[in-house]
Amino acid sequence: MTRKNKYYNRSRISEAKFREIIKYYSIDLNASQIAKLTNLNLNTINKILHMLRQRIFELSQFQSAPLKGQIEVDESYFGARRVKGKRGRGANGKTIVFGLLKRGDKVYTEIIPNCKAVTLQSIIKGKTDIESVIHSDGWRGYNGLVDFGYKKHFRVHHGKNEFVRGNSHINGIESFWGYAKTRLVKFKGMNKNMFELHLKECEFRFNNRKQNLYKILLEICRK
């Protein structure tokens, strides 16, 4: 008889085996690798990893404290290859993601329908403290933040080959985009409906990069 698993209710997998799965997941092995190392069915592993990603996504929705301090904001595009003739913010066939990063700390990401000012600024107002210093590029969607009470908004103009101006840059959020895109490459053929779960997993891993992910994941499962 399988011993009770306090992390995975009504499971036929032992607690020790489940811990093993979490250990491999915490170091970012894929489902096929975990299945091979644990001698478990690939469908079983995929089911467990999907539940973990759902749990991570749910927890991300309860991030109540606004980001405060030096905040970098930017948008990025994920998905299909760029359509010939379509460039930049008008690129077709891609998923638009908006990100806010507190320097040296955490990132917040959200899928958005467009890059209009009302879209970007409503997220900034909802996710950052009004006393924060906002750093962005020169996109017109950021025009008018000062009018909403953000007294310090600094820009770099990439179109003029300007990427750093004193302490003003968005290198941190651009570094996160690079990390997320590199990581997501291994999920070739990903169902588009699964993208948000994988995006939030990237956010979770980045935000806990200095922590023991194995222990954090076990605690998430217990709760």
Side-chain angles (χ1 to χ4, degrees), residues 77 81-94 115 139:
Y77 296 77
R81 291 179 181 273
R82 178 173 290 159
V83 178
K84 187 175 181 180
K86 296 290 185 177
R87 300 180 61 83
R89 290 177 170 88
N92 287 345
K94 289 181 176 286
C115 296
W139 174 239

Side-chain angles (χ1 to χ4, degrees), residues 28-68:
D28 211 9
L29 297 188
N30 63 38
S32 296
Q33 292 171 317
I34 296 174
K36 185 175 181 180
L37 289 168
T38 58
N39 291 316
L40 289 172
N41 182 277
L42 179 59
N43 288 336
T44 299
I45 298 299
N46 276 324
K47 179 181 178 181
I48 292 172
L49 299 193
H50 181 66
M51 289 191 296
L52 285 169
R53 290 179 179 121
Q54 283 184 312
R55 183 63 177 145
I56 288 169
F57 174 81
E58 290 166 1
L59 291 173
S60 74
Q61 305 308 297
F62 293 100
Q63 181 186 342
S64 55
L67 298 173
K68 184 177 182 178

Side-chain angles (χ1 to χ4, degrees), residues 14 65 92 100 106 112 118 125 132 136 201 206:
S14 70
N92 287 345
L100 305 92
K106 296 184 177 182
I112 55 175
V118 65
K125 287 185 286 182
S132 296
S136 75
E201 181 184 355
F206 180 87

Side-chain angles (χ1 to χ4, degrees), residues 134-145 153-157 162 165 168-169:
I134 306 297
H135 300 271
S136 75
D137 62 17
W139 174 239
R140 62 177 179 270
Y142 301 117
N143 293 349
L145 278 175
H153 175 204
F154 300 103
R155 300 180 187 243
V156 287
H157 295 274
E162 179 184 58
R165 182 192 294 173
S168 183
H169 60 79

